[in-house]
Amino acid sequence: MKFKKHSILPGFGLSLGFTMLYISILIILPLSMIFINTTSLGWEKFFEIVTEPRVVASYKLSFGASFVAACINVIFGVLIAWVLVRYQFPGKRIIDGLVDLPFALPTAVAGIALTTLYAENGWIGQFLSFKVAFTPLGITIALTFIGLPFVVRMVQPVLQNFDQEMEEASSSLGANRLQTFVKVILPELFPAALTGFVLAFARAIGEYGSVVFIAGNMPMKTEITPLLIMTKLEQYDYAGATAIAAVMLVITFLILLIINIIQWWTNRNFV
């Protein structure tokens, strides 16, 4: 005798089929073409391309700057979310709207604006004793700019739904403000902040438009991996471009997998 297992939501089989078809067409199929195109190179040529000193230097810069930018965004993103949720002040809605500006602003426009600000004769750069534009520092600033909204928007709902009676109970038991934040509030914020870090990091790795102007694109110094991929595409070296893209994809997948494992462990033990 066969028993049919009823689903809570009707049409599960049909909706799952459409979901898998949609994901396959938009994600799996394009990504699979990256690996298919690299097979025309052969292993020897593949390793020769992806281990060139210029390419390796771009890996280090792209992943290093993305990681630093994501860490900065976690710190200041949590602070901004805290201010927007916990305090009332004039212009709060304007500041809250400005947080989403990197989402709406074309990345090329953001890159030009940041370059204008931080160039040696720019509004901010002229007052600095060190160079920002056309350096790794400038790249990090650009990646921080485009990644900030991810952290703020992930942490903000958690703070809004946080039960402040827990803070009052902690205070009544003798804990100071720092102890209350570290032991009561931070464990609740950590999963959301970690998710925001993952999103900001992933967004920064593939960023091109806002970085290409402020980077200066000097080989071995300020050349990011997406720029190398674009350069090879302009030279009609599609196999070489997909080889570098495949390495970026694999490394990014492994990093995100590790972070998601940490996030799963955190949710299991602290939430």
Side-chain angles (χ1 to χ4, degrees):
M1 182 180 294
K2 294 182 180 180
F3 295 93
K4 183 179 179 180
K5 188 175 181 180
H6 294 281
S7 174
I8 297 176
L9 297 177
F12 172 74
L14 182 61
S15 60
L16 178 61
F18 277 116
T19 300
M20 295 305 300
L21 177 63
Y22 191 77
I23 292 177
S24 299
I25 294 175
L26 289 184
I27 300 178
I28 298 177
L29 185 59
L31 293 181
S32 63
M33 292 304 299
I34 293 177
F35 297 98
I36 293 174
N37 284 338
T38 56
T39 56
S40 63
L41 291 171
W43 286 108
E44 184 176 349
K45 184 65 176 178
F46 173 80
F47 282 110
E48 181 182 344
I49 292 174
V50 301
T51 57
E52 289 180 4
R54 182 178 175 183
V55 178
V56 173
S58 73
Y59 293 153
K60 294 178 180 179
L61 179 61
S62 293
F63 284 101
S66 298
F67 179 80
V68 173
C71 291
I72 295 173
N73 279 327
V74 166
I75 297 172
F76 290 97
V78 171
L79 177 61
I80 293 172
W82 180 274
V83 172
L84 291 175
V85 172
R86 291 301 180 93
Y87 302 106
Q88 298 294 331
F89 53 90
K92 176 181 176 179
R93 292 187 177 181
I94 296 176
I95 296 177
D96 190 45
L98 288 175
V99 170
D100 294 325
L101 187 60
F103 284 151
L105 192 67
T107 55
V109 175
I112 295 173
L114 291 172
T115 305
T116 303
L117 285 174
Y118 290 102
E120 291 185 352
N121 59 346
W123 290 0
I124 297 177
Q126 62 181 329
F127 300 108
L128 300 176
S129 59
F130 52 89
K131 191 175 180 180
V132 175
F134 316 126
T135 66
L137 177 59
I139 295 174
T140 304
I141 291 176
L143 297 180
T144 303
F145 172 81
I146 57 100
L148 178 63
F150 292 101
V151 179
V152 177
R153 295 313 183 205
M154 289 302 303
V155 174
Q156 205 169 2
V158 178
L159 283 173
Q160 290 172 341
N161 296 326
F162 184 78
D163 188 2
Q164 296 190 22
E165 292 182 358
M166 297 177 63
E167 298 179 50
E168 297 174 359
S170 175
S171 178
S172 65
L173 292 174
N176 56 38
R177 291 184 177 180
L178 180 60
Q179 290 174 326
T180 300
F181 180 79
V182 173
K183 296 184 178 181
V184 177
I185 302 176
L186 189 59
E188 295 289 330
L189 295 182
F190 186 78
L194 184 59
T195 302
F197 171 86
V198 172
L199 295 175
F201 178 73
R203 176 71 175 84
I205 289 175
E207 178 59 22
Y208 175 79
S210 64
V211 178
V212 68
F213 293 101
I214 199 171
N217 310 320
M218 292 178 286
M220 305 293 294
K221 294 182 179 180
T222 60
E223 192 174 44
I224 58 174
T225 306
L227 177 63
L228 272 179
I229 296 174
M230 289 298 299
T231 301
K232 288 188 175 294
L233 290 175
E234 291 173 354
Q235 297 171 351
Y236 302 101
D237 184 8
Y238 300 117
T242 53
I244 299 174
V247 173
M248 287 284 289
L249 180 61
V250 171
I251 296 175
T252 303
F253 176 79
L254 292 176
I255 293 175
L256 294 180
L257 178 63
I258 293 172
I259 294 176
N260 276 277
I261 292 174
I262 296 174
Q263 187 178 20
W264 169 79
W265 180 84
T266 303
N267 290 332
R268 183 179 180 182
N269 290 275
F270 294 99
V271 178

